[in-house]
Amino acid sequence: MAHAVDSSSVVNIADLRRLAQRRLPRVVFDYIDGGADAEVTLRENCRVFDDVLFRPKNAVSTPVCDLRTTVLGQHLALPFALAPVGSSRMFYPKGEIAAAGAAGAAGTAYTLSTLSGCLVSEVKAGTTGPVWYQVYLVGGRDIATAGIERAKGCGCGALVVTIDTAVAGLRERDFLNGTKELLTRRIGPMLPYVHQFLARPSWLLGFLGDGGLMNFPNVVLPDGPMQYADVGAALEKSTVCWDDLKWIRDLWKGPLVIKGLLIGDDAKRAVDEGADAVVV
Ligand SMILES: Cc1cc2nc3c(=O)[nH]c(=O)nc-3n(C[C@H](O)[C@H](O)[C@H](O)COP(=O)(O)O)c2cc1C
């Protein structure tokens, strides 16, 4: 990343959140920070971490803490990897390459979303760590097949198939921030909402210097990369079904991860369908 984080003002995730809020236009910050409807699930997902307590064994000596582990046959220096986060290029110039590079420097893997602003091969070239490719079937099977082939061709270490996005969440903050209006790229509808960008000049400069509104270079439609404004409609038409896992499994011989399982039965089924790992 271009700037080191100043540890006198940032000591935890809440501090990083505050910095992000200060740097990003509201519509972008709320895309990262917000959830669906009344955000009940989002709050609950955060709250349950407070229920987790450790039971440390005391009076033992641990001269070295070794966090190394092996996941899907790949060596990681840390016992976690970065989850796919679509549109990261909206947060920071070439955001996916920056995040993957930071993950690699820390010794862990980066998962690139299908819905990213940087090409998978460039992300792979930008990190010393493993890159895993997350699949949405946007654009249909042939378009997804081409994406999977590209991921294979540049040496991605796992394919992560997300199955919990059959409908897009009703994100109430998006209505207030004018997400739909801003994506029309017509001055009339945009006008009431553009002040969010003007209030964040350093983000705006970076955004313009990075080419402005990103598209999706990993989703190559017959007329070129999918445009940003088309993503909602494309996602709604891209439900993954168990049948799809058969052709995906045939196409991708490497480690296969099924992401977005909410019930135990589906986790068992994912393994029966050939998954090497699941993300709950
Ligand atoms: C801004 C944002 C974008 C995301 N984009 C994707 C995506 O493109 N594909 C995907 O499979 N999951 C996506 N996710 C879900 C994350 O990969 C992850 O599963 C989720 O945030 C739960 O993990 P957490 O509790 O660590 O946030 C996204 C999450 C956020 C917050």
Side-chain angles (χ1 to χ4, degrees):
M1 302 289 280
H3 306 286
V5 175
D6 173 6
S7 58
S8 64
S9 61
V10 177
V11 293
N12 55 32
I13 299 293
D15 293 335
L16 285 171
R17 178 178 179 275
R18 188 172 36 76
L19 281 194
Q21 193 163 20
R22 228 188 276 154
R23 183 178 180 277
L24 296 172
R26 185 174 203 140
V27 64
V28 178
F29 176 79
D30 278 350
Y31 161 66
I32 308 170
D33 192 61
D37 296 296
E39 305 188 342
V40 174
T41 309
L42 172 60
R43 272 196 304 280
E44 183 63 6
N45 284 350
C46 297
R47 192 201 59 77
V48 289
F49 280 101
D50 293 341
D51 292 342
V52 179
L53 295 178
F54 291 108
R55 290 180 66 238
K57 283 190 182 167
N58 287 330
V60 289
S61 155
T62 313
V64 181
C65 266
D66 185 357
L67 298 178
R68 285 175 302 169
T69 187
T70 302
V71 178
L72 301 168
Q74 293 157 67
H75 301 296
L76 306 182
L78 299 170
F80 57 80
L82 268 64
V85 171
S87 306
S88 295
R89 195 165 180 166
M90 295 288 276
F91 318 157
Y92 196 85
K94 295 196 169 42
E96 293 88 1
I97 296 176
T108 194
Y110 175 79
T111 314
L112 181 73
S113 167
T114 294
L115 298 177
S116 289
C118 296
L119 200 57
V120 62
S121 52
E122 290 171 7
V123 174
K124 181 73 179 73
T127 177
T128 51
V131 172
W132 301 341
Y133 184 70
Q134 178 266 325
V135 178
Y136 282 132
L137 299 185
V138 278
R141 189 184 284 203
D142 291 346
I143 306 295
T145 296
I148 295 170
E149 295 287 7
R150 269 193 300 274
K152 199 194 292 184
C154 69
C156 286
L159 195 71
V160 179
V161 181
T162 300
I163 64 167
D164 66 349
T165 320
V167 289
L170 186 77
R171 302 168 65 91
E172 297 182 0
R173 299 193 205 186
D174 286 357
F175 290 103
L176 302 174
N177 296 332
T179 303
K180 201 173 89 198
E181 288 78 1
L182 288 166
L183 287 175
T184 62
R185 302 177 92 174
R186 283 185 290 118
I187 196 72
M190 286 171 74
L191 206 54
Y193 302 101
V194 285
H195 61 89
Q196 304 172 67
F197 303 120
L198 303 177
R200 294 291 184 270
S202 68
W203 175 88
L204 187 58
L205 277 177
F207 174 76
L208 295 174
D210 195 30
L213 187 63
M214 54 169 264
N215 58 22
F216 297 107
N218 299 297
V219 184
V220 185
L221 303 172
D223 54 352
M226 190 170 77
Q227 297 301 300
Y228 202 84
D230 298 337
V231 65
L235 259 181
E236 270 171 25
K237 284 190 267 168
S238 70
T239 309
V240 184
C241 295
W242 293 114
D243 269 356
D244 292 306
L245 291 174
K246 294 188 177 45
W247 64 263
I248 293 173
R249 184 70 282 189
D250 285 346
L251 189 63
W252 177 270
K253 302 294 179 209
L256 182 70
V257 182
I258 311 288
K259 175 174 185 287
L261 297 154
L262 296 175
I263 58 173
D265 286 351
D266 278 355
K268 282 194 202 126
R269 174 121 194 218
V271 173
D272 291 344
E273 299 283 348
D276 299 292
V278 295
V279 178
V280 295

